Amino acid sequence: MTACRTGAAWPCLDAGRRFDNGRRPLHNVRVNAETAYLFRHALLRDAAYQLQLPADRARLHALAFEIFEGLLGGRPPWPNFKIAAPGERRLLPADAFAAELADHAEQAAQVEDSARLHEARSLYLARASLFESARWRPAEAGRLAQKAAALCEGRRRSEMLTEAVGCLLDAGLLSEAEGVSRRLLELEFTRQDAALHAGALNLMAKVLDAMGQHHSALPLAEEALRISESEGDPQRIVRELSNLSGTLLYSRMLDRAEAVTMRCIKMMKTHGMSQELGVALGALANCYQMSGRYDDSLATYREAVAALRKAGNKRSEGVTLTNMGALLFAMDCMAEATEVLTAALSLHRQVGNRRSEGICLGNYGNVLFDQRQYEKALETYSLSLSIHREVGNRRSEGLVLGSLGNSWLQLGKPEEAERCLMEALIIHRELRNRRSEGITLGDLAEVYLTTHRYSEGASLLEQALAADREVQNRLHEGRHLCRMGLMHLRQGQREPAAETWRRGILLLRSHGGPAEVARQVSDLESLCREAGLELLPLPAELAPGERRP
């Protein structure tokens, strides 16, 4: 075989006869010189390695470990995982090579001082986890932390399991995070260490919240706070308050969630916890948003984003921007909502937060749906759904299935719409998400209205209204009353239709705003025009701008 210059075509590497799909021989397969060199070098290196006896291999690994560690400045200290923001954790030169050093230590332990190398391997696995976390690769960081935990005892083992859960949560690997959390909780319950037990309860509650099991998370979060308050440590109390406020918010206990969040913010300011303040402000903005206090919510979101950027907490900034985008959508600020959600999506992908990426895509799909770009919305929702299923986010899976159903309905495919909405309903009931159950029942009734199943649709709307009133969802109660009015009108029941529709539109006037009212008026006009019916009388309370879209 003749030599050739780097970058020139290399003659065909023919190992006997090579075939395409097992039938046709491949001729004149050409690769450049650099690729051929790398291939042959790796092949020769592997062959040379395999020729060594196992004991000789172990000695070679021990020699490589010793030389490598010396060149990198000696053995580093055990990492500090207590700093909240991964980007602020101090990295050392050895960290970039920590995973390789851990592998050398594992291989060398077969013939060398196994206890010493065992300790070195756990150290380098921990530092490799730290390095991957700083690079915003949470899935790999979590798995390295689990490997390190298996080699540690006592507090270090708890520390590494805690780090693993946090990383797996960031990566959206909820099933894996749940398994590690349960191991940590069992470990700390056995050890009877109050501080570590509270931390384990707190983590387990976080995982259950992320999985949509808020009814199971709440008692764990409350118990974690009780333990930390009895110990009197401000840092831990703030941590438990922050976690409890999120669980209360998911459980729709809004007044209590707001009070807990305000207490958390006050403690942070008192004790100078500026790094965590942005997260708490974001939680308060969530409370305001769910309570319908949109102006207060938007101002607080902006304050939270500024604090998070100052702290360098990109992951939480992305989460807060996603929630802020949903608020702007609800306020009909579509241009700003698109801008904010695009920025959030970029951050989620930068830090590897797959779970929040899926949620953000769902919110972006809502913007596209509102702009009547139904096919693009369908594509975005489908991508969001695949991520939710990948990371095990059942709560968001149910929400996006509902959005998919509405998109299919707008595209004239009621059978597909009904299938998606029924799947969504099963998930909401499984997770006891009563608010979303009510919304989905109303959406399913819309499918029945379209397919002329009026009696069944009216029954679904009654169920939806019961759920709306139970969770005090006034916006959707107003919407569902308006849909019930249209259902009565389709059935020729004009008087009940007029009264029900009037109640709904007045409720929307106080909880939905002019744009929502105008949409309902437009739907009423369209139905009456298509069916050749006289328009229902509009309430005198409506302003002129609310009487037409």
Side-chain angles (χ1 to χ4, degrees), residues 15-31:
R17 289 173 62 81
R18 300 180 58 206
F19 292 86
D20 177 13
N21 295 326
R23 290 189 292 272
R24 299 193 311 273
L26 291 174
H27 297 293
N28 299 320
V29 177
R30 302 173 74 82
V31 294

Side-chain angles (χ1 to χ4, degrees), residues 24 40 45 65 107 121 163 215 229 281 284 310 313 315 318 341 385 393 466 540:
R24 299 193 311 273
R40 289 183 301 159
R45 183 179 62 182
F65 177 81
Q107 300 295 333
R121 185 178 174 230
E163 180 69 9
H215 59 286
E229 284 178 329
L281 286 168
L284 182 61
K310 185 177 179 180
N313 189 341
R315 182 184 184 279
L341 289 171
L385 183 64
N393 187 350

Side-chain angles (χ1 to χ4, degrees), residues 373-402:
Q373 300 181 51
Y374 300 124
E375 290 186 356
K376 285 186 178 180
L378 191 70
E379 182 180 340
T380 305
Y381 287 140
S382 297
L383 181 56
S384 172
L385 183 64
S386 68
I387 293 175
H388 293 323
R389 286 174 172 167
E390 172 195 327
V391 304
N393 187 350
R394 289 282 283 169
R395 181 178 183 276
S396 294
E397 180 185 349
L399 297 176
V400 173
L401 277 167

Side-chain angles (χ1 to χ4, degrees), residues 225-272:
L225 177 60
R226 186 194 65 76
I227 293 171
S228 293
E229 284 178 329
S230 68
E231 296 289 310
D233 184 341
Q235 293 276 353
R236 283 169 43 205
I237 293 172
V238 163
R239 179 191 67 186
E240 316 309 351
L241 285 170
S242 178
N243 192 55
L244 178 59
S245 70
T247 304
L248 291 167
L249 189 66
Y250 281 128
S251 302
R252 300 286 163 177
M253 302 170 70
L254 301 183
D255 291 342
R256 190 177 168 203
E258 184 177 335
V260 168
T261 307
M262 291 295 290
R263 181 187 168 195
C264 183
I265 291 171
K266 184 178 179 181
M267 283 192 70
M268 285 178 174
K269 290 179 176 178
T270 300
H271 295 280

